[in-house]
Amino acid sequence: MNSVIKKKPTTDNWKLTTNSLMKIIVNGEMKEVAGNLNLIGLLEHLSMPDERIAIELNKEVVRKKDWETKEINDADKIEIIHFVGGG
């Protein structure tokens, strides 16, 4: 049986730099966030789960395996879509 260890995002995923704020659009709302922020760090910053969601960055879907390396830039437009199960 194979074990899968999931890495929980930490504040290391979003590096704060003083005097370095960016303005981005998340789900249609303008947000100010620290510079040098990747997608996992953004989820953590917004207190959002990293399960059952999809992220679109500037109209391109980003694969979950790329969230840690995909950095956000000033004026980026991000859509975070939650998948909800039900019957």
Side-chain angles (χ1 to χ4, degrees), residues 16-29:
L16 286 174
T17 56
T18 54
N19 302 327
S20 176
L21 291 177
M22 299 183 296
K23 291 182 181 179
I24 61 173
I25 305 293
V26 178
N27 293 347
E29 294 182 25

Side-chain angles (χ1 to χ4, degrees), residues 7-69:
K7 213 165 80 171
K8 178 146 176 71
T10 65
T11 51
D12 294 341
N13 292 322
W14 59 296
K15 307 161 207 142
L16 286 174
T17 56
T18 54
N19 302 327
S20 176
L21 291 177
M22 299 183 296
K23 291 182 181 179
I24 61 173
I25 305 293
V26 178
N27 293 347
E29 294 182 25
M30 203 236 323
K31 306 274 186 188
E32 260 190 5
V33 297
N36 298 325
L37 186 65
N38 64 25
L39 291 175
I40 289 182
L42 177 65
L43 293 175
E44 183 179 77
H45 177 73
L46 298 173
S47 299
M48 298 181 106
D50 65 349
E51 297 293 323
R52 294 187 179 155
I53 64 169
I55 300 177
E56 181 182 279
L57 176 62
N58 299 321
K59 300 191 181 212
E60 289 189 26
V61 175
V62 180
R63 289 193 263 184
K64 187 170 185 170
K65 70 177 190 161
D66 297 326
W67 291 357
E68 193 167 355
T69 58

